[in-house]
Amino acid sequence: MIQVLLLIYLIRILICFTFNSPLLAPLGGGSFKIMKNTRLLLSVLIFTLIINVFAQSNGTKITLMSLRCEMMNNPQGIGVQHPRLSWVVLSSLRGVEQTAYRILVASTAQQLAANTGDLWDSGKVPSGKSQLIAYDGKLLRSHQTYYWKVKSYTNHGESEWSAPATFLTGLLSTAEWKGKWIGLDKSFAWDSANVKMSRLSARYFRKEFQLNNKVTKATVSIIGLGLYELYINGQRIGTQVLAPVPTNYSEGVKYNTFDVTAQLKKGANAIGAILGNGRFFTMRQNYKTYKIRNWGMPRMLLQLDVEYANGRKQSIVTDNTWKVTSDGPIRTNNEYDGEEYDATKEMPGWSTTGFNDRAWQPVEMVKAPDGKPEPQMTPNMQVMQTIKPLAILKSSSGKYILDMGQNMAGWLRIRVKGNAGDQVTLRFAETLDDKGEIYVANFRDARSTDIYTLKGGTQEMWEPRFTYHGFRYVEITGWPGVPTVNDFDGRLVYDEMASTGTFISSDKTLNQIHQNAWWGIASNYKGMPVDCPQRNERQPWLGDRAIGSYGESFLFANQSVYAKWLDDIQQSQTKEGAIPDVAPAYWNYYSDNMTWPATYLLIADMLYRQFGDVQPIAKHYDSMKSWMDYMCKKYMTDFILIKDKYGDWCVPPESPEMIHSKDPLRQTDGQLISTAYYFQLSKLMEKFAILLDKKEDAGYFNGLADNVKTAFNKKFYDVGKGYYGNNSVSSNLFPLYFGMIPEENKAKVLDNMVKKITIENNSHISTGLVGGQWLMRGLTENGRADIALNIATNRDYPSWGYMIEKGATTIWELWNGNTADPAMNSRNHVMLLGDLMIWYYENLAGIKAAEPGFSIIVMNPALPEGLDSVNASYESVYGKIVSDWKKSATDFSWNITIPANTKAIVYIPTTNADQVMESGKPANASESVKLLRMENGKAVFEVSSGEYHFISK
């Protein structure tokens, strides 16, 4: 009503302006004349305002947002012919469902603006689908920008056309690469490349070239191994860091693509690139060569395609006309050891025209990596946050120690002024010792040190290019004068992705654990998930992320990085079918374990469950089946899987001073673990086969699972005592959660598990890495959320809260990492999170996908005694889901938000569904709320999209 009245007044004012009537008459004021030009300007402004008010008063307003191509925003370097398009439908109305869509894809922005899809006009397609719709237009061409938009038709009217989005293709065929691989396969006097603690300076490449006409389009694709920075006419291209993402270079090498039209000009131009070592020239040379992979010296392949206004095309590629030097300012760079930068060796203008490069030498034509060029279909790493330090401390020896206040992964940016040749040394650490000195024993032989040599004069600002550190503290030596916190910025680096989850509860311990988890997870995304960011490891261990990836998906939009990791795993698989424990296989660990390679299947399932993407399952099905067959043929005897490597890794020792438990009752039989996992994975393969319409395979895996379950119960179940194996928590948890227990035995097994936790372990965690991946959900979904809450909120050993009590701001590698062997403990790991983050969102907040991608949501929060409120949100691919509940002794209050184009099944505690109120009225009276049933003391409603406020007594 207010909008209608405002609209009437604005129209009256517009009439007054147009005819120069008294300005305030419509509002009851006196006469006031204004000049003609001013009057016309104000008329235009008022008319625009009227249009906006009219649009807002239109109750059928539907907005489309978050247009994505292959789950990325305006991606550059798409390498498929049928990229998949997605969008989010937004509306403040309830019950909004898309009924149809229309997509336009055009070759120019002008065509799109004219509502012309010259490449693809899908027409009005009757469908509620708004995710992962494959482009089905004309053949895409390499190095072209495509423009697209979408219109949605809903049961509440149609949207306007969305804002335009774009995607840029890379080189769609390996045959289109015209350049040659260039490099410099030797070291120099300042290098020491062929020793264990190797040092290798960065390579600088440059080339000048002429463009003889006006450039209308220019696109560059680059493979810079191990890492690169690219410049054109002195301008850095892109904001990515530590690019490209690491791979198994024997199988595939990723390239990045950029639109560089704006950086080029008619006439003379220059292109330059810096290559760092990355994982290609690995961190340790001529050392444990049976274990550590190495591919040689850095090298590069580049192609710049230019289109002129007259239609002519030209390509600038890597060939023998380029020049190179290693005598630049980056004297060494290494992921473990740091970067040394000598500003006195800077070469001003080295990537611009006219630079004197006579001291440079011709490049070498070098061998191409065995891996074929692949488009990088995942974002690069970025500096995602800049953080101010907390304080500068003085150690007992008088050294300056910078305290960031937060364990993180990245580096420092410094601002310093001094004399030429002054050298500042930055040594990174996670903790301090008893004397206030940095503690680096847990870094092993990783030096984690950056050295900056000043050129002198004015203030200088510097940050490294080709290294990163895991740290909270930094020892500063050689600083000219007295450093202050204003001289430093912490640069948090991880793969570019949105944070998607928020969680606040009435329990401070839960809240701090969530914050610590966020920092640990972010720190360990490095083009792949790694185990830690600080010591001489940083490896993509599969076991750490099996179920962890699922929990992480509530905090981060991690679908691209994990889809890429599945490719890494596939490329590391042997011809026989074996999958390594580390992938890419930078370390040669093929132990034929069940639980670590199981991650391959579990992540494919996660991507389907959380993001609605079945493509990873289809892409990797044959490889997953090959591994399952390999393990069955090689290690299965009478349907028992006899091979296990790691057991239930990192079970909390019975004493905080012990590294490993020596109590056999805390250990779980390895054959029990591997057989239970083979059953669970067989059921998963059956699900995959059904999704892909492989009926014969589905029947095979169903039968196999039945046989394994029968053998498992016969071998491991103690009929007289009612438990499995040695009655460890994990021994009972696996068959309970996986659905392997005959119905008549479930209560006994659960009772034994509960007694083990509550009595013998005093309601503390006693599972290791493997058992912890199912523990919190296993308890909660079997009616014991109270025990799960006790485990999660403990503040003494062993617990996540214990880490907080000891000052942790991330998650440790060991439950007792401060006492057992601090030199062994990484203070920034994620493997001990298990299924905790899933439990936060699915069980405490009650946000769970009932259908893939949250097209249908189940909202059924556990309400354990001792937890009074949870306010959580999750940004699903369909939009934001909110669950904000509070409970008291007398009532339950719940605010929820369901995204447009979805619906939810909502469970509300009550003894009488008629007493449930929604927005001040009986819930049953709402058209958007439908009572389905009563179930276990809860009223179950179906709720359409929109915002709701429920209260029950």
Side-chain angles (χ1 to χ4, degrees):
M1 185 63 183
I2 293 174
Q3 287 177 325
V4 173
L5 291 174
L6 178 58
L7 190 61
I8 292 170
Y9 276 121
L10 288 172
I11 292 171
R12 292 179 67 185
I13 292 172
L14 179 62
I15 293 170
C16 293
F17 283 165
T18 304
F19 298 102
N20 202 18
S21 298
L23 175 62
L24 299 179
L27 302 176
S31 63
F32 177 66
K33 302 284 186 174
I34 51 180
M35 299 296 292
K36 180 178 179 181
N37 289 342
T38 305
R39 189 169 73 248
L40 291 173
L41 177 60
L42 288 174
S43 295
V44 171
L45 293 174
I46 293 296
F47 180 77
T48 302
L49 185 57
I50 288 171
I51 295 299
N52 289 334
V53 171
F54 180 78
Q56 292 174 17
S57 67
N58 179 5
T60 63
K61 184 69 174 176
I62 307 293
T63 306
L64 304 184
M65 301 290 290
S66 300
L67 272 66
R68 286 154 292 144
C69 175
E70 287 298 328
M71 290 295 189
M72 295 181 284
N73 298 316
N74 299 323
Q76 299 193 83
I78 289 296
V80 293
Q81 275 291 346
H82 301 281
R84 297 168 300 164
L85 310 176
S86 307
W87 60 90
V88 170
V89 181
L90 289 181
S91 177
S92 60
L93 300 175
R94 287 187 177 183
V96 173
E97 296 179 8
Q98 179 181 286
T99 58
Y101 65 80
R102 183 183 174 196
I103 300 172
L104 299 180
V105 180
S107 56
T108 67
Q110 293 76 18
Q111 291 267 29
L112 192 69
N115 294 335
T116 302
D118 61 318
L119 298 177
W120 186 41
D121 183 343
S122 71
K124 186 176 179 180
V125 180
S127 173
K129 190 175 181 182
S130 60
Q131 302 297 314
L132 300 171
I133 296 167
Y135 167 80
D136 194 25
K138 295 179 181 178
L139 193 70
L140 301 180
R141 295 186 297 124
S142 295
H143 281 182
Q144 298 295 316
T145 299
Y146 295 92
Y147 304 82
W148 71 281
K149 63 183 179 181
V150 62
K151 177 190 285 282
S152 179
Y153 304 85
T154 79
N155 57 343
H156 285 272
E158 67 184 66
S159 72
E160 299 293 332
W161 284 107
S162 69
T166 64
F167 60 89
L168 171 66
T169 52
L171 290 168
L172 297 173
S173 164
T174 54
E176 293 184 85
W177 284 93
K178 302 172 184 175
K180 304 294 184 183
W181 283 90
I182 62 173
L184 201 58
D185 276 350
K186 63 180 179 180
S187 57
F188 294 84
W190 50 88
D191 295 328
S192 49
N194 297 314
V195 297
K196 174 187 172 183
M197 305 297 284
S198 62
R199 293 168 51 87
L200 187 69
S201 50
R203 273 84 166 110
Y204 291 76
F205 297 85
R206 72 181 308 272
K207 175 182 174 63
E208 292 193 25
F209 56 95
Q210 290 284 327
L211 298 178
N212 298 322
N213 212 319
K214 182 181 178 181
V215 176
T216 57
K217 178 73 174 176
T219 309
V220 64
S221 287
I222 178 173
I223 310 175
L225 303 177
L227 305 171
Y228 75 87
E229 278 193 356
L230 178 64
Y231 295 82
I232 294 179
N233 292 327
Q235 286 185 260
R236 183 180 166 190
I237 305 303
T239 58
Q240 71 282 349
V241 298
L242 302 175
V245 295
T247 59
N248 177 351
Y249 305 110
S250 295
E251 299 295 330
V253 290
K254 299 295 187 185
Y255 69 84
N256 295 146
T257 299
F258 304 95
D259 184 326
V260 293
T261 310
Q263 283 76 34
L264 294 173
K265 60 183 190 249
K266 181 179 179 181
N269 291 264
I271 188 167
I274 314 173
L275 294 191
N277 300 325
R279 297 278 175 140
F280 193 80
F281 181 84
T282 192
M283 291 79 74
R284 296 291 177 261
Q285 297 286 321
N286 289 337
Y287 173 69
K288 294 186 177 180
T289 53
Y290 65 91
K291 166 186 170 182
I292 300 173
R293 298 287 299 276
N294 182 44
W295 286 270
M297 297 286 189
R299 57 204 61 212
M300 180 175 71
L301 179 66
L302 178 146
Q303 181 165 322
L304 170 62
D305 288 331
V306 177
E307 298 179 20
Y308 294 114
N310 62 6
R312 196 169 66 85
K313 297 180 180 180
Q314 181 180 353
S315 294
I316 292 89
V317 301
T318 42
D319 56 21
N320 60 8
T321 64
W322 288 62
K323 300 191 76 173
V324 61
T325 186
S326 282
D327 196 14
I330 301 177
R331 309 308 286 178
T332 184
N333 63 99
N334 182 297
E335 191 173 307
Y336 289 169
D337 300 325
E339 183 167 308
E340 296 180 22
Y341 188 95
D342 186 348
T344 67
K345 302 288 290 184
E346 287 181 347
M347 305 170 289
W350 70 274
S351 62
T352 61
T353 57
F355 175 76
N356 184 353
D357 61 8
R358 281 179 294 181
W360 292 37
Q361 63 187 83
V363 296
E364 296 176 359
M365 299 294 103
V366 296
K367 181 181 179 297
D370 291 334
K372 68 177 183 179
E374 300 172 337
Q376 184 177 307
M377 301 282 283
T378 180
N380 277 302
M381 283 172 268
Q382 299 275 358
V383 174
M384 297 298 289
Q385 283 190 38
T386 297
I387 303 154
K388 294 306 297 182
L390 189 66
I392 291 184
L393 315 172
K394 267 286 190 77
S395 70
S396 57
S397 65
K399 293 176 181 174
Y400 294 110
I401 309 291
L402 186 72
D403 180 5
M404 297 303 301
Q406 173 64 56
N407 198 332
M408 58 179 284
W411 53 74
L412 282 185
R413 180 173 63 188
I414 67 173
R415 286 172 289 274
V416 61
K417 184 177 181 180
N419 298 319
D422 286 349
Q423 199 167 77
V424 175
T425 300
L426 309 171
R427 293 180 65 211
F428 295 80
E430 292 188 301
T431 55
L432 302 178
D433 64 18
D434 294 338
K435 297 180 181 179
E437 306 287 349
I438 59 170
Y439 180 80
V440 295
N442 66 323
F443 283 25
R444 301 172 182 168
D445 72 1
R447 291 168 176 161
S448 201
T449 299
D450 291 341
I451 300 174
Y452 180 73
T453 303
L454 280 70
K455 58 179 171 284
T458 59
Q459 186 183 72
E460 303 170 40
M461 185 160 66
W462 174 81
E463 57 189 305
R465 287 179 170 88
F466 300 131
T467 191
Y468 73 88
H469 310 283
F471 69 103
R472 172 175 173 171
Y473 300 97
V474 187
E475 177 192 271
I476 306 163
T477 55
W479 192 269
V482 178
T484 71
V485 292
N486 293 326
D487 296 324
F488 304 93
D489 299 314
R491 307 280 269 171
L492 175 65
V493 173
Y494 59 92
D495 295 68
E496 184 182 7
M497 63 181 79
S499 291
T500 53
T502 64
F503 183 94
I504 296 290
S505 75
S506 56
D507 189 279
K508 293 181 179 178
T509 300
L510 290 180
N511 300 341
Q512 185 63 52
I513 293 169
H514 186 274
Q515 180 175 317
N516 287 13
W518 187 97
W519 281 94
I521 295 164
S523 295
N524 285 293
Y525 285 142
K526 291 294 175 289
M528 57 189 175
V530 296
D531 64 331
C532 60
Q534 75 294 92
R535 68 188 181 207
N536 64 347
E537 188 167 2
R538 312 185 194 198
Q539 293 298 323
W541 287 96
L542 271 67
D544 294 23
R545 303 302 180 100
I547 292 299
S549 63
Y550 183 179
E552 294 163 21
S553 71
F554 282 105
L555 279 71
F556 294 93
N558 63 7
Q559 62 268 44
S560 293
V561 71
Y562 276 112
K564 178 262 180 186
W565 200 36
L566 291 184
D567 294 341
D568 293 335
I569 296 170
Q570 184 183 55
Q571 290 183 350
S572 297
Q573 186 175 28
T574 67
K575 292 180 180 178
E576 294 74 23
I579 291 175
D581 302 335
V582 175
Y586 300 120
W587 287 1
N588 188 32
Y589 282 1
Y590 286 81
S591 67
D592 283 353
N593 195 40
M594 270 302 300
T595 50
W596 264 236
T599 301
Y600 190 29
L601 282 68
L602 292 169
I603 288 177
D605 186 53
M606 179 277 288
L607 293 173
Y608 178 62
R609 179 199 306 259
Q610 296 295 91
F611 303 106
D613 191 357
V614 74
Q615 188 178 85
I617 293 173
K619 183 177 184 179
H620 296 280
Y621 179 85
D622 288 342
S623 297
M624 293 186 289
K625 182 182 177 183
S626 174
W627 173 68
M628 290 287 287
D629 290 345
Y630 168 82
M631 294 299 292
C632 178
K633 291 173 183 175
K634 193 168 184 180
Y635 299 111
M636 185 172 281
T637 302
D638 296 328
F639 297 105
I640 297 296
L641 215 295
I642 62 173
K643 181 72 164 65
D644 178 72
K645 168 73 173 178
Y646 299 109
D648 197 7
W649 185 253
C650 280
V651 168
E654 50 272 23
S655 167
E657 289 72 35
M658 301 172 65
I659 296 178
H660 297 292
S661 171
K662 303 201 182 298
D663 180 0
L665 293 180
R666 286 177 174 255
Q667 308 304 316
T668 301
D669 186 326
Q671 292 189 18
L672 184 153
I673 296 172
S674 57
T675 305
Y677 259 69
Y678 200 92
F679 168 82
Q680 177 74 348
L681 298 177
S682 294
K683 297 302 291 182
L684 205 50
M685 287 300 294
E686 179 190 2
K687 171 184 172 180
F688 294 167
I690 292 170
L691 281 171
L692 302 177
D693 197 28
K694 297 177 181 288
K695 295 184 175 121
E696 187 176 337
D697 279 6
Y700 165 75
F701 281 112
N702 177 265
L704 181 59
D706 284 345
N707 287 330
V708 170
K709 180 168 68 172
T710 299
F712 179 89
N713 280 289
K714 182 179 179 181
K715 180 175 178 64
F716 297 111
Y717 184 64
D718 188 315
V719 178
K721 296 177 181 177
Y723 60 67
Y724 287 84
N726 64 351
N727 197 33
S728 70
V729 173
S730 292
S731 295
N732 292 316
L733 175 63
F734 295 136
L736 180 67
Y737 196 82
F738 294 167
M740 304 178 74
I741 306 177
E743 193 63 35
E744 64 271 17
N745 297 335
K746 281 185 181 178
K748 293 178 185 177
V749 174
L750 178 61
D751 184 58
N752 275 307
M753 192 173 82
V754 166
K755 287 177 180 176
K756 190 81 172 180
I757 295 171
T758 57
I759 298 172
E760 292 189 34
N761 295 308
N762 194 25
S763 295
H764 284 68
I765 195 165
S766 61
T767 54
L769 179 154
V770 184
Q773 296 176 1
W774 316 95
L775 176 65
M776 305 301 281
R777 293 171 296 162
L779 286 168
T780 302
E781 293 170 20
N782 283 280
R784 298 313 306 261
D786 56 328
I787 300 175
L789 182 65
N790 286 339
I791 290 173
T793 55
N794 285 324
R795 302 281 292 199
D796 57 341
Y797 173 81
S799 67
W800 299 285
Y802 173 77
M803 301 177 193
I804 294 170
E805 284 288 316
K806 301 305 177 183
T809 60
T810 45
I811 306 297
W812 295 350
E813 178 184 19
L814 303 175
W815 295 105
N816 54 353
N818 62 320
T819 54
D821 183 2
M824 167 67 185
N825 185 39
S826 156
R827 301 237 174 186
N828 195 345
H829 249 65
V830 296
M831 68 180 186
L832 293 187
L833 282 170
D835 69 348
L836 185 64
M837 291 297 103
I838 309 173
W839 181 73
Y840 269 47
Y841 284 88
E842 289 190 348
N843 297 121
L844 294 187
I847 300 174
K848 184 176 182 179
E851 292 293 332
F854 294 83
S855 60
I856 300 179
I857 308 152
V858 172
M859 304 194 75
N860 186 14
L863 306 170
E865 192 68 31
L867 189 65
D868 298 325
S869 67
V870 167
N871 185 353
S873 70
Y874 169 61
E875 194 72 46
S876 76
V877 292
Y878 284 92
K880 181 177 284 189
I881 305 166
V882 176
S883 173
D884 178 9
W885 63 258
K886 296 180 177 65
K887 65 181 173 72
S888 67
T890 59
D891 59 24
F892 173 78
S893 171
W894 195 10
N895 296 317
I896 68 173
T897 300
I898 310 300
N901 210 28
T902 71
K903 61 183 177 180
I905 310 301
V906 177
Y907 290 70
I908 299 175
T910 186
T911 57
N912 185 349
D914 292 336
Q915 294 182 353
V916 177
M917 306 295 288
E918 194 285 302
S919 298
K921 297 182 293 187
N924 281 332
S926 171
E927 293 182 1
S928 303
V929 180
K930 176 184 176 183
L931 178 65
L932 299 178
R933 62 188 178 274
M934 289 294 298
E935 182 181 311
N936 298 325
K938 293 183 178 181
V940 184
F941 295 94
E942 182 181 279
V943 175
S944 60
S945 69
E947 296 180 1
Y948 298 86
H949 176 60
F950 289 100
I951 294 179
S952 67
K953 302 293 184 183

